[in-house]
Amino acid sequence: MTARLLLHIGYHKTATSWMQQRLFVHEHGYHQIARHPEVWRHVVAPHGLLFDPEPMRALIRAGIDDLPAGMVPVISSEILSGHPFFGGMASDDYARRLKAIAPDAKILVSIRSQMRILTSVYMQYLLRGGTMGPELFFAGDPELGFFGFRPEHFEYHRLIGLYRDLFGVENVHVITQESLKADMDGATRRLAAFAGNAGFDGVLPTHRSAYAPSYPEYAVPMLRRINKLQKSVLTPAPTIKIGTTPDGFYRAFGYVLRRPPFSWALGGYHPVSAHVEKTFRGRFDASNRELAKIAGYLDLSDYSGVMATTKSAMPSSAKARLASAR
């Protein structure tokens, strides 16, 4: 019997690249039947007046027909949760499109403590060629139009709640980046149990390493000014072009600034994290408390406004899932 399709929708900056390249692979009993380009073309890009679920349905049928024996079919693309540079706009539309495309799918949502993910999102913004300082970026100026940060995108309980309504509570699983870091084996075994991956026996030692970290925050003033002189996704027509972000001077300065003596002298300077702390402390407390209610199997002790979750507080379905994953 073929396992049901696992749809991993993100969020961005929650170890999604690691999952796509090192977890959802044949060695672990997973087979990805579509990638970002297909998801973009058939789910995200179509105008609402032109969206047709059939092309993606056909792609999924073909992928499952060719599925290697014993594998769990997976589609993993963080663009399905909405893009943080655009306030996560249309994430609800994507959820309803996925319901029309694959109504029996299982849904995986990956999240991360807001006070950490916001800093990471900003650093990713610079990597794509952004030039705004953190104050302007996080302000979400309405004059920027459709482009702009919105904190409600990171009120995770809202999107997770919508998927639970659409696909059923038992068909939505949430994993935290923190759990992957603290207990990779436990987190991935629970995921495998949810996905029906009976052949999973833990993450291989060769697949455990994480990707290189972002450039340090103290490099932000230099990097965003370099972006004004380089062509990029966010700055396609700079006044003076001396390279292309994230390569060229951006990469060179990032490499140099990451090392001594700069790391010694400036290592304690965290302008983005400091701004996030000042601006958003307490902003997500209510959302995190709601999240704790609907996903009691999660340890949200690193999430503002939530006390450490204990197993005794878990719903019976979550306890059963944990037991089957041992």
Side-chain angles (χ1 to χ4, degrees):
M1 180 178 177
T2 302
R4 287 160 60 187
L5 173 65
L6 179 67
L7 282 173
H8 175 213
I9 68 165
Y11 283 59
H12 289 77
K13 310 309 294 181
T14 58
T16 52
S17 294
W18 177 84
M19 284 188 268
Q20 289 152 6
Q21 299 181 33
R22 297 182 182 175
L23 177 62
F24 296 139
V25 295
H26 283 193
E27 295 91 327
H28 294 144
Y30 297 101
H31 179 73
Q32 295 183 62
I33 62 174
R35 305 281 179 157
H36 297 306
E38 294 83 12
V39 170
W40 171 261
R41 184 163 58 251
H42 298 310
V43 183
V44 175
H47 190 285
L49 298 176
L50 301 175
F51 171 69
D52 179 2
E54 186 52 36
M56 195 65 183
R57 286 177 187 162
L59 189 151
I60 291 171
R61 285 195 299 268
I64 290 178
D65 287 344
D66 294 334
L67 190 70
M71 297 285 175
V72 173
V74 178
I75 297 176
S76 175
S77 181
E78 58 269 34
I79 62 178
L80 290 168
S81 62
H83 203 294
F85 299 174
F86 298 84
M89 300 291 286
S91 59
D92 55 332
D93 289 333
Y94 304 155
R96 296 183 180 93
R97 291 182 183 191
L98 290 175
K99 178 63 177 179
I101 290 166
D104 297 325
K106 292 190 173 185
I107 306 299
L108 172 64
V109 187
S110 53
I111 62 173
R112 182 180 180 185
S113 170
Q114 293 96 340
M115 304 308 285
R116 294 187 178 92
I117 197 172
L118 296 189
T119 296
S120 187
V121 163
Y122 178 78
M123 298 306 292
Q124 184 71 10
Y125 164 74
L126 291 188
L127 192 68
R128 293 288 178 264
T131 60
M132 290 188 289
E135 295 81 6
L136 183 57
F137 176 82
F138 288 115
D141 189 341
E143 291 189 4
L144 295 174
F146 191 67
F147 182 93
F149 172 84
R150 295 193 178 196
E152 54 264 37
H153 176 53
F154 297 95
E155 293 177 339
Y156 300 127
H157 79 284
R158 300 187 186 281
L159 189 59
I160 292 169
L162 175 59
Y163 273 95
R164 283 160 60 97
D165 290 342
L166 291 172
F167 289 86
V169 171
E170 70 282 3
N171 294 317
V172 179
H173 183 76
V174 184
I175 192 170
T176 68
Q177 188 191 53
E178 292 83 5
S179 69
L180 288 170
K181 183 177 181 180
D183 181 17
M184 181 179 290
D185 288 324
T188 53
R189 287 181 189 277
R190 290 190 288 275
L191 170 57
F194 167 76
N197 186 355
F200 182 75
D201 193 30
V203 179
L204 295 172
T206 53
H207 289 58
R208 291 174 174 269
S209 60
Y211 289 92
S214 301
Y215 292 124
E217 290 183 48
Y218 58 76
V220 163
M222 176 66 75
L223 295 177
R224 71 184 188 88
R225 286 168 173 81
I226 288 173
N227 281 341
K228 295 182 179 182
L229 305 176
Q230 296 205 149
K231 181 181 179 181
S232 66
V233 172
L234 297 179
T235 309
T239 303
I240 301 174
K241 180 185 174 183
I242 57 173
T244 301
T245 295
D247 297 314
F249 282 102
Y250 188 95
R251 185 181 297 275
F253 274 89
Y255 179 88
V256 170
L257 291 171
R258 185 182 278 163
R259 285 157 175 77
F262 301 101
S263 59
W264 297 338
L266 301 172
Y269 179 49
H270 303 284
V272 186
S273 296
H275 179 75
V276 167
E277 173 71 23
K278 179 181 68 175
T279 306
F280 297 107
R281 173 56 61 184
R283 171 63 176 79
F284 302 101
D285 290 2
S287 174
N288 289 338
R289 287 192 289 269
E290 291 300 314
L291 177 62
K293 293 177 184 178
I294 64 176
Y297 52 89
L298 296 176
D299 177 2
L300 299 176
S301 54
D302 287 337
Y303 290 58
S304 61
V306 181
M307 299 297 291
T309 304
T310 63
K311 291 183 181 179
S312 62
M314 294 181 186
S316 58
S317 60
K319 291 179 181 178
R321 194 183 304 161
L322 278 174
S324 65
R326 288 175 181 154

